[in-house]
């Protein structure tokens, strides 16, 4: 997408707008109360608090008459404890095409009860090249201690119109007052969207005329925003922070330019269908006809053909570890050079499948690292990845050729995130990405001696997503290394006869087995033996101990674990007591747990099945989920009691 | 028809025409593949020290990445600053057969800042970075460069193995120096070379390593650097940024450090006055040191500033005074200046920091350090100060700088001194717990825990976290599965051996598992050893236990009314050279008393002890998981 807009004939004369901060917030002037504050009343844990953060955007014409926007920024931070001192190290991260100006800062301290203000010296500002095209200005405020207030302001001039500066009202420290004002001239159209879990106090849209140019003025304000606290089992936290984001949806200059981008998902799809860097890159595809024909001729079933096409791209093109959704070079060249981004590889796969007369389509994805995708906000920037889908007997089969362990229907973990958007004629269709299920079966046969010595055989079978997962973790390791890893994990046992099978064939299940011995796991007491029969893969503790949860618990994929244990009763012993069989379910079939015990002849059999039926649980399911795990832990800690038969 | 696909694939592969091949993967000796993720095919480094201020390095490296586990070695990064210049740099990628697939292009090598992406860190070194992505393994990265150094101070040591899971096929390291500046060498796990006269009458030294088999990380072993061939290298004289130095003795090297950093201890008038006011009421030197140290902690923060000679030279105290920040050198020097103002002599002290850092070589004076602390010698005592922390108790070092040689800088008398060792009594954890068990298996728990030295370190982030964060910390740390934290209090003692006393009041659900009329009560759920050393078929290396500690638990379990003891775990007593463990269980009235003591003893033990060590831990593991069984007394009903 070419996003450099040149308007050579239209002059834009904007007034220089400055941030109009709330009453009482004037840059460089802090109050005595602010300096004397020792604890932030709304959050006594806060190491620092943002007293004020304000930003404004207005558009302007650059010296070469191209359109740019100015982002003016100011913040005031109060340091409350030594753990908050790092807040006085600030960073301004910019693309190389962006310009920084007007950088200014102050440090305020109380010295002998009197206000003292110091300007940010030049020696505290350092610029560095951070990556190929990003540079960072590092600001290290001097003379900062507990109680200090630091203020910073600057302006960034940017030509990245499609990437209008987003705004976070929520940060890792609480924010007392935050406001953002965005002036958008009426020839530019942006979609705006407020995301996150906390409320914003004020939102308004007005308009004003600036030098004959009508501007929409958006204004957002939030007061007393709590600190963002990360929780375990969540996708990229960024998408949960309360903030506002933008998407360029159109440029309209009467009689000159008329470009429409993303007013809706349908529109986004439509634009991408016409885009040379996306859908149009799929054709012409005659360079693929030999391969397509060869595959079609060689295999009879569509399922096999799809698998071969996928394997062809997967095994012949090397992923360069980049995501993206536009192709940088032609797909033909990707094939020739045997190297490409995930987008290029998967679009090549779509082209190949299409050449094979399959109904294949690219699908846009927001990876887990990118964060939760909000389907209510039509925004191309939400995506950072492309996979492929193909119809097989009216079912959509999702494909990602960038991962060497993947097979049709199995996506790498990074893709298991909400829904993906199909890019095809006739509208916007969403496909669920995390419908995969991981299955683990653990079969063990145990025998114990009256002294409590334990011997056993255990066999693991990983299938579906668990098999992928296992290969992903260990696929590059030798059997010896896998064995060592397993021995580390189960160091309390002595392990022998270790074997693992199926590592080499993606899509197949993985089997792992070994023998083990252990002393002391069973407790002997006179005529009685107590033993916990769940020896391996026991849920020993609850992953959820905190009383509350704010954000969804995201496991990535649903999973089922079956533990089948046969405990051989030693000669001369009988069952004294067994755990009770139980069954429980999470509301709405969101999960289940079964624990069946029976004894027959000289053995006790236990079947323990834990089923986490959904990939994602929302906050109000948390108490039930937590209690569910409590019960699992409790049940799996129960003992079998054996007793010496009376003679 | 099967041929067709194969044919297409074949065509694709032949797009790159084979020319001369090098480093084919098949040529790697089988035994080098064992445990290896990468194989260094060739490290060939020629160093020519024309004089003390001009050193050219010509290097060629070829490394085969066998699988994706070795991905992070498929890259290089070369520093570039006032001391180091890169003259030429080129490279290419070979496929498994050894054909050139691609030449590295200029635009693929990025020049970024050495502190890129690190907040609170400023550096003026740039690095040239390349990462090989998009090649299927195995492949080989080959690159060559020429680098110019402006001081023999920067002369690289010989370090042919740079990671676990890395085999080395061939390594040649050659240094040529002028006749009048012969090298001093100390080699480890290898022979030191004899110097040879070269044609121009220079001396040249050559190290070679062939067919070195990859090492794996194993527990209870010294850091990698002490397990592989290595050589310390230096010239006796050097010159950095116009300042000449000698390093035949520690005293000489210390003298150079002292000169480089002298006259950098001036403070502002106000600060000097403040120091005077602060110590007015202090009666002992100890009090003065503590007062000054805490004053420094309240005024400063750590920021890594590496500018100019800043890698070795401290920021002036006046600048730290002005800005309130600095790195280890700047903050130590600043504290030195403050103490000097208070009439207390402190010594700037170089050290190699890290909890599992390699030991420095005491017989080889040269810069082997990466950190600076302060030593304050007193009449009877020595006080050590870590100046980069705003929270460390005065005089405490922790495992970052404990138990190792440090170079104390002193005029004409710089020398090595060993930093404090924290013994098993210092690193101490004690729990006194009281469990009231209810018939349904729930329990009310009151626990009082004492943590000292290293055990205290693990709770430092708790100490200053604020109430909500502290609660979250405790919910994550406490080893019960399902509990409510009713209340907690704590108190810390900030001394040379710091400690924390933490009192907890908890309600634990399902503490005991219930089965019919029985209750199974875990005896040591709050402090279980779950660790067991890994099973190893053969153990060849000595067993290193670097840090000792002691744990003492005294727990009382109140038996609910109507229940009687059916079974108790047996008393366990273990004693080995490397540790002791005792678990004693006793029933007194309606109470069960459990005493548990565990101590791990520092030392180097022979490899043959490994099985004993494993058995020791297995037994502890099992003892810690013991349960006593209570049974409901039917008659009472």
């Amino acid at each position: 997408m070419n996003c450099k807009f040149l308007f050579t004939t239209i002059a834009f004369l904007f007034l220089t707008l400055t941030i109009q901060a709330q009453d009482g917030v004037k840059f460089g002037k802090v109050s005595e109360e602010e300096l004397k504050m020792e604890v932030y009343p709304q959050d006594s844990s806060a190491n620092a608090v943002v007293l004020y953060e304000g930003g404004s955007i207005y558009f302007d014409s650059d010296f070469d008459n191209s359109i740019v926007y100015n982002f003016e920024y100011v913040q005031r931070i109060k340091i409350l404890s030594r753990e908050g001192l790092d807040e006085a190290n600030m960073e301004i991260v910019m693309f190389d095409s962006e310009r920084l100006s007007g950088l200014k800062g102050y440090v305020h301290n109380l010295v002998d009860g009197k206000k003292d203000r110091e300007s940010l010296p030049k020696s505290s500002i350092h610029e560095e090249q951070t990556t190929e095209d990003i540079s960072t200005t590092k600001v290290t405020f001097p003379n900062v201690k507990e109680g200090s207030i630091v203020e910073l302001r600057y302006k960034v001039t940017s030509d990245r119109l499609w990437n209008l500066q987003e705004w976070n009202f929520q940060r890792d420290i609480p924010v007392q007052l935050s406001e953002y004002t965005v002036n958008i001239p009426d020839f530019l159209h942006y979609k705006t969207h407020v995301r996150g879990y906390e409320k914003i106090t004020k939102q308004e849209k007005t308009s004003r005329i600036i030098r004959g140019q009508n501007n929409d003025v958006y204004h957002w304000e939030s007061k007393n925003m709590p600190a963002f606290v990360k929780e375990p089992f969540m996708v990229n936290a960024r998408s949960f922070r309360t903030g506002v984001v933008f998407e360029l949806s159109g440029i309209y200059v009467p009689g000159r330019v008329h470009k429409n981008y993303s007013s809706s998902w349908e529109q986004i799809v439509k634009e991408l269908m016409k885009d040379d860097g996306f859908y149009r890159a799929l054709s012409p595809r005659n360079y693929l006809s030999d391969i397509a024909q060869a595959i079609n001729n060689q295999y009879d079933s569509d399922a096999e053909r799809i698998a071969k096409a996928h394997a062809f791209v997967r095994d012949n093109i090397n992923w360069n570890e980049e995501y993206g959704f536009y192709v940088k070079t032609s797909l033909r060249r990707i094939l020739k050079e045997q190297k490409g981004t995930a987008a290029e590889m998967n679009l090549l796969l779509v082209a190949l499948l299409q050449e094979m007369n399959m109904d294949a389509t690219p699908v846009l994805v927001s990876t887990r690292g990118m964060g939760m995708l909000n389907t209510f906000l039509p925004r191309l920037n939400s995506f950072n990845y492309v996979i492929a889908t193909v119809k097989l007997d009216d079912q959509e089969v999702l494909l990602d050729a960038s991962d060497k362990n993947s097979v049709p229907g199995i996506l790498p973990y990074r893709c298991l995130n909400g829904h993906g958007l199909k890019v095809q004629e006739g509208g916007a269709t969403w496909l669920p990405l995390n419908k995969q299920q991981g299955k683990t079966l653990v079969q063990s046969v145990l025998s114990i001696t009256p002294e409590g010595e334990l011997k056993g055989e255990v066999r693991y079978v990983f299938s579906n997503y668990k098999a992928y997962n296992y290969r992903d973790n260990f696929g590059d390791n030798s059997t010896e290394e896998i064995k060592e890893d397993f021995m580390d994990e189960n160091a309390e046992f002595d392990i022998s006869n270790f074997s693992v099978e199926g590592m080499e064939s993606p899509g197949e299940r993985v089997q792992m087995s070994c023998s083990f011995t252990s002393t002391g796991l069973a407790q002997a007491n006179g005529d009685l033996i107590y033993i916990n029969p769940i020896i391996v893969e026991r849920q020993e503790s609850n992953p959820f101990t905190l009383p509350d949860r704010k954000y969804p618990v995201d496991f990535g994929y649903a999973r089922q674990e079956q533990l089948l244990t046969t405990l051989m009763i030693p000669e001369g012993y009988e069952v004294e007591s067994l755990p009770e069989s139980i069954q429980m379910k999470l509301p709405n079939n969101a999960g289940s747990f079964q624990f069946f015990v029976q004894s027959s002849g000289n053995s006790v059999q236990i079947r323990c099945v834990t089923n986490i039926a959904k990939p994602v649980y929302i906050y109000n399911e948390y108490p039930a989920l937590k209690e569910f795990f409590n019960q699992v832990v409790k049940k799996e800690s129960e003992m079998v009691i054996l007793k010496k038969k009376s003679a | 028809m099967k041929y067709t696909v194969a044919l297409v694939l074949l065509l694709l592969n032949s797009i790159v025409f084979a020319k001369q091949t090098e480093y084919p993967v098949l040529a790697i000796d089988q035994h080098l593949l064992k445990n290896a993720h990468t194989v260094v095919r060739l490290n060939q480094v020629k160093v020519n020290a024309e004089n003390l201020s001009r050193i050219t390095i010509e290097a060629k490296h070829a490394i085969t990445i066998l699988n994706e586990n070795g991905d992070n070695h498929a890259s290089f990064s070369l520093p570039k600053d006032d001391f180091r210049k890169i003259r030429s740099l080129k490279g290419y990628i070979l496929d498994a057969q050894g054909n050139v697939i691609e030449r590295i292009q200029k635009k693929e090598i990025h020049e970024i800042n050495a502190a890129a992406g690190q907040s609170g860190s400023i550096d003026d070194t740039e690095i040239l970075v390349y990462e090989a992505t998009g090649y299927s393994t195995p492949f080989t990265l080959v690159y060559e460069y020429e680098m110019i150094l402006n001081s023999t101070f920067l002369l690289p040591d010989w370090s042919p193995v740079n990671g676990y899971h890395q085999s080395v096929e061939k390594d040649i390291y050659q240094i040529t120096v002028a006749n009048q500046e012969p090298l001093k060498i100390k080699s480890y796990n290898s022979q030191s070379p004899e110097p040879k006269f070269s044609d121009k009458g220079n001396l040249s030294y050559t190290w070679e390593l062939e067919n070195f088999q990859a090492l794996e990380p194993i527990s209870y072993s010294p850091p990698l650097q002490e397990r592989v061939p290595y050589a310390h290298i230096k010239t006796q004289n050097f010159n950095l940024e116009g300042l000449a130095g000698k390093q035949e003795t520690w005293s000489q090297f210390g003298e150079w450090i002292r000169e480089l950093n002298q006259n950098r201890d001036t403070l502002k008038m106000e600060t000097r006055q403040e120091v005077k006011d602060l110590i007015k009421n202090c009666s002992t030197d100890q009090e003065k040191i503590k007062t000054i140290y805490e004053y420094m902690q309240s005024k400063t923060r750590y920021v890594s500033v590496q500018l100019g000679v800043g890698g070795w030279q401290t920021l002036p105290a006046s600048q730290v005074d002005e800005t309130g920040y600095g790195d280890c050198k700047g903050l130590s020097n600043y504290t030195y200046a403050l103490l000097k103002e208070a009439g207390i002599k402190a010594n700037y002290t170089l050290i190699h920091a890290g909890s599992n850092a390699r030991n420095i070589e005491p017989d080889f004076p040269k810069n082997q350090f990466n950190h600076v602390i302060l030593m304050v010698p007193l009449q009877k005592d020595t006080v050590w100060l870590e100046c980069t922390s705003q929270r460390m108790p005065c005089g405490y070092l922790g495992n970052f700088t404990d138990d190792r040689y440090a170079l104390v800088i002193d005029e004409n008398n710089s020398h090595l001194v060993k930093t404090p060792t924290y013994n098993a009594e210092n690193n101490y954890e004690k729990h006194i717990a009281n469990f009231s068990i209810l018939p349904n298996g729930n329990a009310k728990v009151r626990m009082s825990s004492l943590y000292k030295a290293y055990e205290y370190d693990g709770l430092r982030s708790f100490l200053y976290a604020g109430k909500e964060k502290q609660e979250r910390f405790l919910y994550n740390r406490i080893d019960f599965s399902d509990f409510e934290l009713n209340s907690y209090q704590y108190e810390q003692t900030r001394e040379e051996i710091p400690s924390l006393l933490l009192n907890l009041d908890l309600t634990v659900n399902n503490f005991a598992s219930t089965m019919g009329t029985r209750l199974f009560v875990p005896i040591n759920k709050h402090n279980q050893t779950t660790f067991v050393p890994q099973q190893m078929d053969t153990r060849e290396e000595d067993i290193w236990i670097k840090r000792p500690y002691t744990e003492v638990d005294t727990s009382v379990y109140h038996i609910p009314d109507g229940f009687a003891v059916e079974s108790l775990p047996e008393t366990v007593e273990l004693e080995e050279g490397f540790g002791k463990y005792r678990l004693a269980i006793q029933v007194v009235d309606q109470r069960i008393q459990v005493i548990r003591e565990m101590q791990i003893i520092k030392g180097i033990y022979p490899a043959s002890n490994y099985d004993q060590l494993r058995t020791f831990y297995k037994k502890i593991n099992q003892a810690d998981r013991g349960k006593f069984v209570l049974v409901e007394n039917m008659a009472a009903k």
Side-chain angles (χ1 to χ4, degrees), chain A residues 342-358:
Chain A
E344 288 161 347
M345 292 178 73
N346 288 324
L347 286 171
L348 180 65
L349 176 57
V350 171
L352 175 58
L353 288 165
Q354 288 180 346
E355 185 63 20
M356 289 160 63
N357 296 319
M358 300 266 184

Side-chain angles (χ1 to χ4, degrees), chain A residues 622-634:
Chain A
Y622 178 76
L625 191 66
K626 181 180 175 217
E627 188 50 29
F628 177 81
F629 275 101
N630 278 338
Q631 293 305 321
V632 172
V633 171
K634 176 173 189 263

Side-chain angles (χ1 to χ4, degrees), chain A residues 143 477 491 494 519 530 542, chain B residues 69 216 323 481 566 614 622:
Chain A
N143 251 323
N477 295 11
D494 289 323
T519 49
Y530 311 104
N542 191 336
Chain B
N69 292 326
E216 283 185 293
T323 62
S481 217
E566 183 183 71
R614 200 169 125 73
Q622 282 147 14

Side-chain angles (χ1 to χ4, degrees), chain A residues 19-23 25 52-56 72 74 167 169 175 177-181 202 219-222:
Chain A
I19 297 165
Q20 292 166 359
Q22 296 260 319
D23 293 343
V25 185
Y52 176 74
E53 187 172 28
S56 82
E72 288 194 352
V74 57
W167 188 260
F169 296 99
V175 183
L177 174 61
S178 174
E179 55 177 343
Y180 199 29
T181 307
K202 200 162 139 193
H219 181 76
W220 295 270
E221 201 177 293
S222 92

